[in-house]
Amino acid sequence: MTMRLRWGLLALAIVAQLALPLRYIWRGEQALAQGTPYRLATAPVDPYDPFRGRYVALNFRDFPRISSSRPGEVWYLPIAAGAEGYAQFGAPSRERPASGDYLRLRAQWFQRGWVPPPFDRYYLDESLAPQAERAYRALSRRRPANGEAAPEPIRAELAIRVRDGYAVPEMLYLDGLPVRDYLAAQRDEGSP
Amino acid sequence: MNEHAEWLRAELPVLLREGVIDAATAERLGRRYAVAEAAAGAATHDAVGVLPAVSQPVSRALVICAVLGAGLIGLGLIQIIAHDWDQWSKPQRLALAFGPLLALQALGAWVLRARAASRAWGEGVATALALVGAGALALVGQIYHFPGELDAYALAVALLALPLVYVFDSAAAAALVLLGYTAWLLLMTGLPWLPLRYLALLATLVPFSWGLLRDGGASWRANLLGSVLAACLTVAVTASSLGGDPRLLLRLALLASIFVLAASARSGDGRGPLWRYGRHGGALLVLAATWRELWSVGHAVWRPGIEGLGLQGWLTIEALAWLALLVLVLRRRQMMSVEWWLLVALPVAFWVGTQVALGGQRETAALLFDGYALALGIATIRSGLAANELAALNRGLAIVSALILMRFFDSNLPFLVRGLAFIAVGAAFLGANVWLRRRRT
């Protein structure tokens, strides 16, 4: 291989190694700056999720369960703001919606049988993630006291921004506070 | 002679910089004249005076250290940066994610300019760039809370590292690319035409592998890539085959036999990773096939991963490849050992076994392989004795011992009898080794 060709390949490798993460950054920043905001009420997570660690694993109450038989299969899920800004989902489809916001979803092998949401984790500092996850689970599981029939209040929710099918988690809220503020308040109160 | 070699040593970097010769040619010339000088009793240096070109094992150790050291430093930097992530703003995190990557890319450009013929530098920087590039992508994913799409990540990381294989002539980077492709295959099981897509990915490494074999087929770099390739192919065949169907065994038998034939076609002397994989893999398969339960055909499920061509289609392709290699080797009219023939004939034995098992005769299929394993063990012992080779003798003894021990575990004999049998087998093992060592001395 000539030196000229090697220099050309090195330039290609450098450009590709920078371009791919920059593309993700651009898309994320565009979604955060110009995307439509939505909120999703969270649900408890399987405690045996093997990928816990430096992030809070997320699950959602009202996210539709979409069956898929093949990994890599792409689905489109219309999304619109419902009551109090919480997301409402339309019927999933293999075709991109002609108008309105939507989420682009992809079936994956280890979740064979259904298509997961495109935001299944919220990364935190390794020292905060375990506390946040405990709080998240406790608040996602809360039931009305004394056998009341009232609907379960939402105390843990994820704010996202959606643009061109791409969704970026903006903030995880616990009891109405951003997660870091919630944990700081818990520490100040001396809670475990 | 030394005066001319000195001149050449000074000229090689210039010729390389000007593109008159490529790095591989420079290295070959440097090695050629370094060997000649060593024979004349002079101190030697390699083509560009970067490393003291002593013996092959020391150079190999240096390259391995360079690769591991560079990779670990790169990953360690990322771990340290990510430790106290929360204290940093987003622009700061992004800057720190890209910092090591940019620094290594600059180092890579310097290596290509000033150290192009150095194996240690090339392997080290290629490996570090591949790993740190993967780390930077992961950190960006963390900053924006990407979902865990491991398959897309594995494929992206492998494809980003692919140019580095050719730029730096790096076998270590090629091994990482191969592992990335195989991880993607495992995560995408169920995707239509998956085996063909995997083969298309493997094809991106063919020019590099061809160059590696041509320039130094017995080198440790070729062995490294060969070992990783053999392991990845075995995983790929297993992942893409039916579950609970004995035809998986037939595919694995074909693969082991193809490794043996490919090794024989290349070198004919039974060396290299393909030969080792074929030999060991074949022996393990034969021993596994002596276990009755392995031939159970109760719950075969057609997995969508091999749609399109189908299992029969893939078996046909693999069988044709086996046949083509067999013809190629036989045309050389070389005398092959009984051990070799038994390994090459594995697919035939497994085809017979599969037909017998599919006909409901599991016990008969397993019994067939009891005989096959015994024959393979004895043939390997004979090869070892004929060549005065302790390793082959022990391999043969291990096959026979494993067979005996497996049958004892299957049976309902009392513990005392089993214990005595194990002692007898162990004693035979030790005795044979002592006898052969004495015979050699």
Side-chain angles (χ1 to χ4, degrees), chain B residues 277-317:
Chain B
Y277 258 90
R279 192 177 57 201
H280 296 145
L284 282 172
L285 268 177
V286 168
L287 285 169
T290 65
W291 187 46
R292 277 83 184 130
E293 278 67 27
L294 201 73
W295 295 99
S296 168
V297 294
H299 301 289
V301 173
W302 185 262
R303 285 165 59 159
I306 43 177
E307 276 178 3
L309 215 50
L311 175 63
Q312 213 52 51
W314 280 107
L315 272 172
T316 306
I317 289 173

Side-chain angles (χ1 to χ4, degrees), chain B residues 134-160:
Chain B
L137 198 59
L139 283 176
V140 168
Q142 202 178 84
I143 292 166
Y144 290 94
H145 309 285
F146 285 171
E149 292 185 353
L150 283 180
D151 57 294
Y153 177 75
L155 186 60
V157 159
L159 290 174
L160 286 175

Side-chain angles (χ1 to χ4, degrees), chain A residues 73-112:
Chain A
E73 204 168 58
V74 175
W75 287 78
Y76 298 92
L77 182 66
I79 183 173
E84 297 172 28
Y86 287 99
Q88 282 188 338
F89 299 101
S93 163
R94 297 296 312 279
E95 302 293 325
R96 189 185 316 208
S99 61
D101 282 331
Y102 59 92
L103 299 176
R104 185 178 180 280
L105 311 174
R106 205 167 151 269
Q108 294 171 51
W109 176 77
F110 47 86
Q111 285 153 323
R112 186 182 298 171

Side-chain angles (χ1 to χ4, degrees), chain B residues 22-402:
Chain B
D22 60 18
T25 307
E27 190 175 356
R28 281 198 300 272
L29 284 169
R31 270 206 308 269
R32 164 77 176 80
Y33 287 96
V35 169
E37 279 194 68
T44 60
H45 282 79
D46 74 352
V48 291
V50 175
L51 299 170
V54 286
S55 58
Q56 171 86 331
V58 177
S59 302
R60 185 191 316 174
L62 192 64
V63 171
I64 291 171
C65 286
V67 169
L68 287 176
L72 288 169
I73 287 171
L75 291 174
L77 278 173
I78 288 172
Q79 294 290 314
I80 289 169
I81 289 164
H83 162 69
D84 206 8
W85 215 222
D86 247 32
Q87 307 305 318
W88 306 91
S89 66
K90 193 191 294 181
Q92 285 175 325
R93 295 183 200 182
L94 288 172
L96 289 171
F98 280 96
L101 180 61
L102 290 168
L104 272 172
Q105 287 174 343
L107 180 65
W110 176 80
V111 166
L112 194 59
R113 190 174 192 290
R115 293 285 185 270
S118 168
R119 186 68 66 210
W121 277 107
E123 293 280 0
V125 80
T127 307
L129 261 174
L131 292 174
V132 173
L137 198 59
L139 283 176
V140 168
Q142 202 178 84
I143 292 166
Y144 290 94
H145 309 285
F146 285 171
E149 292 185 353
L150 283 180
D151 57 294
Y153 177 75
L155 186 60
V157 159
L159 290 174
L160 286 175
L162 181 62
L164 302 173
V165 173
Y166 291 97
V167 173
F168 298 107
D169 196 30
S170 169
L176 289 175
V177 170
L178 204 43
L179 289 171
Y181 289 161
T182 309
W184 172 81
L185 170 91
L186 285 174
L187 292 164
M188 293 300 280
T189 305
L191 186 69
W193 296 94
L194 182 62
L196 278 180
R197 294 178 197 231
Y198 183 65
L199 287 175
L201 288 173
L202 291 186
T204 61
L205 288 171
V206 163
F208 174 76
S209 307
W210 185 255
L212 201 64
L213 287 172
R214 191 193 58 212
D215 294 343
S219 70
W220 70 267
R221 297 166 70 236
N223 282 340
L224 167 69
L225 196 59
S227 298
V228 173
L229 177 66
C232 287
L233 283 176
T234 307
V235 165
V237 164
T238 309
S240 65
S241 298
L242 295 176
D245 191 306
R247 282 172 288 185
L248 165 62
L249 300 176
L250 179 53
R251 290 192 76 192
L252 290 174
L254 274 165
L255 192 62
S257 192
I258 284 171
F259 286 157
V260 169
L261 286 166
S264 302
R266 189 159 77 79
S267 65
D269 60 356
R271 276 195 257 166
L274 293 179
W275 168 243
R276 282 196 301 274
Y277 258 90
R279 192 177 57 201
H280 296 145
L284 282 172
L285 268 177
V286 168
L287 285 169
T290 65
W291 187 46
R292 277 83 184 130
E293 278 67 27
L294 201 73
W295 295 99
S296 168
V297 294
H299 301 289
V301 173
W302 185 262
R303 285 165 59 159
I306 43 177
E307 276 178 3
L309 215 50
L311 175 63
Q312 213 52 51
W314 280 107
L315 272 172
T316 306
I317 289 173
E318 288 152 10
L320 287 172
W322 172 82
L323 202 58
L325 281 169
L326 181 64
V327 167
L328 189 68
V329 172
L330 291 179
R331 281 178 67 177
R332 289 187 179 176
R333 299 173 189 275
Q334 234 172 315
M335 280 299 293
M336 298 299 188
S337 64
V338 174
E339 180 197 6
W340 186 90
W341 278 107
L342 285 171
L343 288 169
V344 163
L346 264 182
V348 176
F350 272 92
W351 180 81
V352 171
T354 305
Q355 300 310 307
V356 168
L358 286 173
Q361 304 291 321
R362 281 189 312 163
E363 287 284 338
T364 310
L367 205 60
L368 166 71
F369 279 92
D370 279 334
Y372 207 95
L374 186 64
L376 182 62
I378 293 170
T380 309
I381 291 169
R382 277 189 64 192
S383 294
L385 290 173
N388 227 11
E389 203 184 292
L390 206 55
L393 173 74
N394 282 327
R395 216 169 40 244
L397 285 171
I399 293 171
V400 175
S401 307

